[in-house]
Amino acid sequence: MREVLKDKEMKSMHMDVYPHKGQYRPKDEILINIEVEGLKNKESLCYEMQIFDLEKCIWSKTEEISNETQQFQVACGNEVNQIGTYGVDVKILEEGSLVDQSSTAFDIVTSWEDAPRYGFLSDFYEKDEEDSNDVKQMNKYHISAVQFYDWMYRHDDLIPPTDVFEDVLGRKLSLKAVRHKIDLCHQHGMKAVAYGAIYASSKEFFRTHQEWGFYNKKSEAIEFANLFYIMDISEESPWVGHIKGEFKKAINLLDFDGIHMDTYGFPKTAFSHEGTHIKRLNELYPKFIDTVYEDLIHEKEEVSLFFNAVSNWGIEDISKSKLNVAYIEVWDPQEKYIHLYQLINRGKELGHKNVVLAAYLESFHPTKPRDKEKEMNTFCLASATIFASGGFHLLLGEDNGVLADPYYVNYGQAQDKNAEGILRSYYDFFVRYSKLLNQLEGRDCSMTHAGGVNDEIHLANSKFSSYGEAGKVWTIYKELKGYHVLHLINLIGQEDEKWNTLKASPIIQKDIEISILVDETVQGVYLASPDYVNAKAQSLAYKVIEKERGHYIQIKVPELHYWSMIYMVTSEGNVL
């Protein structure tokens, strides 16, 4: 498991490095924050910063620092202004000797939709009216869009009548805190997204608008959780105009950037108040989404919309809408690692869109017994699966929060600095190598190149699987323009392949011998992992071996903890 610092001598000093925004646009100034503790009695100190585009160092700077300097910012050079993903490595040196080191990452995008790293806020109490630490910490995880969960007065009446109010579940909240958090998100380059259920009405509202509701075959109004009535989202229903008006208020009065449109996965079919024909809600979704989009795009130049396809239901229809991000809340029976992989691939194939999974990790639940080592194992393996599959994960939020429950208020937290370090190392890695992880172009060859009759990829001295079996190394293989990428996820030592059960520490694999059939010219082979202190890509020695089926690249991976990524830089169109 990754340690924040390695040797005892370094522990008198600690350095933290992170960008000043969660995400950048091409014209933004890029500033890297450096915070150093324990500089006393150190002389002739300097920092050395390097910025990498994958394995290539594209910018560096070295400058002296003094004992009085505890916090400072470094402006990146004009050379770092292209759309892309970058790694940042910083060292503190004393007379040329290493004192401490740390790393971070950042990306430059044209739109948040290019990399929707979704986070959450759910605490809007009076004590939060001046608190800035939660969003600052989320910035260190490179969050680019933030869902404001249950910020509102009522589901059918979003804006509270007073600055201090009680929500539908009796929480005493502050509108001033909501405004403060929206402003903080904007300062950190994050989109602020207001939660808004598309069809949930309070009992009071329903009593005066019963003709706006959905009914079952017995002409009974449909309720959910004994709290809400489900309203008719057909285009002819007056409810649609009402809830769109509430969404507009959230954007215009509070400066939200968009709406997280929630559904409950039920009902899937219903009847209108006087209807005799079944209405299939999945068929209603695209029209509802598009009419919301058309209304809100006039309120915000870049409206940020999410729509919850619970358990992936309705994704085929939702993919036809104007949404540019697919969002899926994951529930049983989608319980295995391979199911997460399949959800992401299916979502990307249908709409050519990035996919965000809301996959809550129950092991972090604050009211249940906690096992720090096993819950971090669970996090690492679930994150490796989602990131290697090319997806995004709604998981992290305020106060090092980890979602463990669909009611976000019940979030858990990283238990100590080392756990926080692991969370950050995975999200730093995710951003640093997103060029390889999150391309919508390219081909996933996982099930066609390894295992069974497939011999394009072979692990000579380790059990491996193409579909995430317990007790084996899971291989995910992708061919991208100019790159071949092989992910190794270590499931050796696991009793099952369920992503949401407590996991033992994987049995570390050493000296894994791998052969990969590649016809293009290979210019270099590199290994990177979030499990190492430094996520910088390491060059791997390789051999070119000619066999009956073609030219194979032979490599040896020295060590596999949870997740390692091997990528080969190729010249397309050229042969070996």
Side-chain angles (χ1 to χ4, degrees):
M1 185 74 70
R2 179 186 187 271
E3 294 178 354
V4 178
L5 295 175
K6 272 292 185 186
D7 59 58
K8 295 179 181 178
E9 183 180 351
M10 288 186 182
K11 293 194 177 184
S12 62
M13 177 184 291
H14 175 65
M15 175 174 55
D16 197 6
V17 177
Y18 56 95
H20 86 301
K21 286 186 176 182
Q23 193 170 68
Y24 293 97
R25 300 299 172 92
K27 294 183 180 180
D28 288 348
E29 182 181 22
I30 298 168
L31 301 173
I32 304 299
N33 293 315
I34 300 178
E35 299 175 358
V36 186
E37 297 176 359
L39 279 175
K40 294 179 180 179
N41 303 320
K42 296 289 184 181
E43 298 179 359
S44 303
L45 290 174
C46 69
Y47 73 82
E48 177 186 272
M49 178 183 291
Q50 293 180 306
I51 296 180
F52 288 85
D53 179 356
L54 297 182
E55 76 282 354
K56 298 176 183 176
C57 180
I58 61 171
W59 185 82
S60 63
K61 184 176 183 178
T62 302
E63 192 167 273
E64 291 184 357
I65 57 177
S66 67
N67 283 329
E68 291 74 32
T69 304
Q70 301 295 321
Q71 299 182 18
F72 56 97
Q73 287 184 325
V74 179
C76 298
N78 293 330
E79 302 92 329
V80 189
N81 61 5
Q82 299 296 311
I83 291 170
T85 62
Y86 302 94
V88 182
D89 294 338
V90 179
K91 296 178 180 178
I92 299 283
L93 304 172
E94 183 178 19
E95 296 182 347
S97 298
L98 179 66
V99 177
D100 198 4
Q101 61 182 329
S102 189
S103 62
T104 187
F106 65 89
D107 61 347
I108 304 174
V109 299
T110 56
S111 168
W112 69 273
E113 296 166 344
D114 298 335
R117 293 185 294 275
Y118 208 15
F120 75 93
L121 287 168
S122 61
D123 293 344
F124 309 106
Y125 307 108
E126 290 179 87
K127 66 181 177 63
D128 298 300
E129 291 177 352
E130 296 182 1
D131 177 32
S132 301
N133 290 327
D134 49 5
V135 178
K136 178 183 177 181
Q137 184 66 22
M138 291 167 68
N139 176 68
K140 295 180 181 181
Y141 295 115
H142 319 290
I143 299 300
S144 60
V146 180
Q147 181 187 155
F148 281 57
Y149 178 85
D150 272 15
W151 62 276
M152 63 286 181
Y153 175 58
R154 296 291 184 269
H155 287 63
D156 51 58
D157 186 9
L158 300 182
I159 307 298
T162 56
D163 276 351
V164 178
F165 63 98
E166 282 194 5
D167 74 0
V168 69
L169 292 180
R171 289 196 305 159
K172 187 178 179 182
L173 304 181
S174 164
L175 188 59
K176 182 179 178 182
V178 174
R179 293 183 186 274
H180 176 57
K181 302 302 182 185
I182 293 171
D183 184 53
L184 286 173
C185 287
H186 291 161
Q187 291 176 31
H188 287 286
M190 305 173 186
K191 296 295 184 182
V193 182
Y195 176 94
I198 68 167
Y199 47 31
S201 159
S202 63
K203 294 181 178 180
E204 294 77 14
F205 185 93
F206 180 78
R207 289 191 186 106
T208 58
H209 300 89
Q210 296 186 34
E211 70 279 9
W212 295 9
F214 263 144
Y215 292 80
N216 62 24
K217 195 170 185 179
K218 297 180 181 179
S219 298
E220 299 167 333
I222 298 175
E223 295 183 67
F224 179 78
N226 200 33
L227 283 173
F228 310 115
Y229 283 91
I230 303 298
M231 307 302 279
D232 188 346
I233 59 168
S234 307
E235 58 182 311
E236 65 273 11
S237 170
W239 167 260
V240 174
H242 171 79
I243 198 63
K244 285 195 302 180
E246 293 300 308
F247 293 166
K248 282 185 180 181
K249 289 178 187 178
I251 287 176
N252 291 326
L253 298 180
L254 297 180
D255 202 24
F256 277 115
D257 298 297
I259 305 295
H260 178 99
M261 295 180 282
D262 196 22
T263 69
Y264 303 139
F266 171 86
K268 294 181 172 64
T269 58
F271 297 84
S272 60
H273 183 248
E274 297 179 349
T276 56
H277 298 290
I278 295 175
K279 294 189 176 183
R280 303 185 185 280
L281 272 71
N282 60 299
E283 296 175 356
L284 302 178
Y285 288 162
K287 181 66 177 179
F288 181 87
I289 294 168
D290 288 349
T291 189
V292 170
Y293 176 87
E294 292 296 342
D295 271 23
L296 298 188
I297 197 65
H298 298 296
E299 313 300 323
K300 278 276 183 176
E301 184 177 349
E302 187 182 45
V303 65
S304 307
L305 294 182
F306 291 84
F307 190 95
N308 189 3
V310 178
S311 292
N312 210 35
W313 183 73
I315 193 68
E316 295 83 359
D317 302 278
I318 294 167
S319 66
K320 300 171 186 176
S321 75
K322 293 182 180 179
L323 282 179
N324 288 324
V325 174
Y327 176 92
I328 303 164
E329 190 177 54
V330 186
W331 295 103
D332 289 349
Q334 292 154 341
E335 61 182 2
K336 297 184 178 181
Y337 292 117
I338 190 64
H339 294 145
L340 301 180
Y341 165 88
Q342 290 170 341
L343 288 172
I344 292 165
N345 276 323
R346 178 65 171 158
K348 293 171 80 169
E349 288 171 0
L350 284 170
H352 202 65
K353 302 170 182 179
N354 280 314
V355 177
V356 179
L357 298 186
Y360 313 127
L361 297 182
E362 295 175 358
S363 57
F364 286 84
H365 203 288
T367 65
K368 298 179 180 179
R370 302 277 298 273
D371 184 316
K372 185 180 69 175
E373 181 177 359
K374 288 184 177 180
E375 71 187 20
M376 295 312 299
N377 294 337
T378 304
F379 163 81
C380 290
L381 292 173
S383 297
T385 298
I386 293 171
F387 296 161
S389 300
F392 296 79
H393 193 185
L394 172 63
L395 183 70
L396 302 185
E398 57 204 327
D399 298 325
N400 289 316
V402 182
L403 285 180
D405 190 284
Y407 183 52
Y408 293 6
V409 179
N410 294 331
Y411 63 85
Q413 293 173 289
Q415 294 195 48
D416 55 28
K417 281 292 183 181
N418 193 56
E420 176 191 335
I422 295 166
L423 297 177
R424 286 184 62 182
S425 69
Y426 268 68
Y427 276 73
D428 285 345
F429 186 87
F430 181 45
V431 175
R432 184 171 189 149
Y433 294 103
S434 280
K435 177 186 290 188
L436 303 178
L437 295 170
N438 300 120
Q439 283 197 20
L440 290 174
E441 307 297 335
R443 181 183 294 109
D444 190 313
C445 304
S446 303
M447 298 295 289
T448 58
H449 283 51
V453 299
N454 307 302
D455 196 39
E456 284 82 1
I457 299 172
H458 185 72
L459 277 62
N461 57 342
S462 187
K463 294 180 180 179
F464 69 99
S465 165
S466 298
Y467 50 95
E469 294 177 86
K472 298 181 180 180
V473 173
W474 185 8
T475 57
I476 297 177
Y477 185 60
K478 299 185 180 184
E479 293 181 352
L480 311 173
K481 185 177 182 181
Y483 302 94
H484 289 220
V485 183
L486 175 64
H487 298 279
L488 305 177
I489 299 176
N490 188 4
L491 299 179
I492 296 178
Q494 305 307 326
E495 295 181 356
D496 61 56
E497 50 266 15
K498 295 181 179 181
W499 60 266
N500 206 10
T501 58
L502 283 172
K503 291 290 176 271
S505 296
I507 298 172
I508 296 173
Q509 302 297 293
K510 294 182 180 292
D511 296 325
I512 303 173
E513 298 176 1
I514 305 175
S515 300
I516 307 172
L517 176 64
V518 182
D519 284 330
E520 298 95 335
T521 300
V522 173
Q523 300 177 336
V525 182
Y526 299 90
L527 170 69
S529 172
D531 303 322
Y532 303 154
V533 171
N534 190 334
K536 179 180 175 181
Q538 307 295 320
S539 179
L540 282 182
Y542 65 94
K543 296 179 181 178
V544 180
I545 306 297
E546 187 171 352
K547 296 184 179 181
E548 181 180 353
R549 293 193 180 185
H551 299 278
Y552 283 78
I553 299 297
Q554 286 193 342
I555 58 175
K556 181 181 289 187
V557 175
E559 200 166 77
L560 172 64
H561 290 243
Y562 297 85
W563 172 30
S564 289
M565 178 180 71
I566 299 110
Y567 68 92
M568 294 174 284
V569 183
T570 66
S571 295
E572 296 219 352
N574 298 324
V575 295
L576 287 160

